Amino acid sequence: MDSTPMNEECCHRMKHLALALNRAEQALRALRHRKSILTFKNLNAEFIQVETDTGHIEGAQAMTGRNTTEWGGNMALWGILPLWRAAPPPDTVLKLRRPTPSDCWPFRGSYGEIIIDMPKSLLVTKLSVEHIRPDTARSAPKNFIIYGVLSNGTWIKGADGIYEYNKPAKQYFKLDNRNVPFQQIVFRVLSNQGNMKYTCIYRLRFYASNNKLLGNKPV
């Protein structure tokens, strides 16, 4: 019995399997290469995030601004005795801890402001606004104005900003400081993402150009 056709068929199958194996190896190498690129990009993004947060101003204090009423709510003890639940203080927005649900400063309605008193007059170059869930929280700020206040009481408009629901939770905004130091910053919210009862500000960070005076600590 002639085994030549069978040998040719086996040889053909071996070549086909070898070709398929080679293609699989190439696809695996390409996948690994793509994964390494993505990993590098992620690490690079984290590095940029840390670099962006350098120069954070510490030692500031916050207070309620004009025409702003803090939001509080009623609660019942054992479901019977009504009590008053006070809102977290304005300084909550300056805390360094990672924000968690309800760890914010709330005010009534969609219009209000918070005043940040700097530890001394500083050239504030930018700020960050952070919310835990900008994609779903209707109480997050939306349109806002930033004012810088000089030591003599003069107000300077630093920025018009929009906190966007489809962007990262922490969003950065540059300030036009006119190259003059600010003693105070006024963060005035003009609207929120749709909650007509109250607005929540979770975290505000302010950054200055002189890192040596600020400790250069990332958040």
Side-chain angles (χ1 to χ4, degrees):
M1 183 175 181
D2 190 2
S3 61
T4 301
M6 184 178 296
N7 292 336
E8 291 178 353
E9 182 180 358
C10 290
C11 183
H12 178 72
R13 289 182 178 178
M14 289 296 294
K15 289 181 179 180
H16 177 74
L17 290 175
L19 182 60
L21 181 61
N22 185 43
R23 290 176 179 174
E25 290 177 348
Q26 291 179 357
L28 182 60
R29 283 196 296 268
L31 182 62
R32 289 175 177 173
H33 179 67
R34 181 183 178 186
K35 184 177 180 181
S36 63
I37 292 177
L38 291 175
T39 302
F40 174 77
K41 288 183 177 179
N42 290 336
L43 290 174
N44 191 41
E46 292 177 1
F47 173 76
I48 293 173
Q49 178 75 14
V50 171
E51 286 298 311
T52 302
D53 283 344
T54 57
H56 167 237
I57 298 172
E58 297 185 11
Q61 295 181 337
M63 65 190 79
T64 304
R66 297 177 298 180
N67 303 319
T68 304
T69 303
E70 294 181 344
W71 171 264
N74 290 318
M75 62 180 297
L77 181 62
W78 301 305
I80 301 175
L81 181 64
L83 298 174
W84 179 256
R85 180 180 58 192
D91 275 337
T92 302
V93 305
L94 300 175
K95 299 299 182 182
L96 296 179
R97 62 177 178 264
R98 185 179 297 275
T100 56
S102 77
D103 184 23
C104 66
W105 178 70
F107 61 85
R108 290 184 180 273
S110 58
Y111 178 92
E113 66 181 29
I114 187 169
I115 300 174
I116 310 300
D117 193 11
M118 296 292 147
K120 60 182 178 180
S121 294
L122 293 168
L123 281 172
V124 185
T125 57
K126 64 183 177 182
L127 80 152
S128 63
V129 182
E130 184 176 7
H131 198 282
I132 54 171
R133 288 299 303 271
D135 56 335
T136 59
R138 299 177 64 194
S139 63
K142 186 177 181 181
N143 295 279
F144 59 86
I145 300 178
I146 303 295
Y147 293 98
V149 183
L150 307 185
S151 57
N152 62 4
T154 302
W155 285 41
I156 295 177
K157 187 176 181 179
D160 288 299
I162 300 177
Y163 184 79
E164 301 185 50
Y165 73 93
N166 57 350
K167 295 291 182 65
K170 196 171 191 178
Q171 301 176 25
Y172 294 87
F173 304 89
K174 291 184 178 180
L175 292 184
D176 180 12
N177 58 26
R178 314 287 179 87
N179 203 31
V180 292
F182 294 152
Q183 182 61 55
Q184 291 181 328
I185 298 290
V186 179
F187 183 78
R188 178 176 294 171
V189 178
L190 304 178
S191 65
N192 61 23
Q193 304 292 336
N195 189 326
M196 302 306 296
K197 293 184 178 181
Y198 60 88
T199 302
C200 287
I201 302 177
Y202 273 80
R203 295 292 184 270
L204 298 176
R205 297 280 188 271
F206 299 90
Y207 307 88
S209 57
N210 193 341
N211 293 345
K212 292 182 180 180
L213 296 178
L214 307 174
N216 196 17
K217 295 182 180 180
V219 293

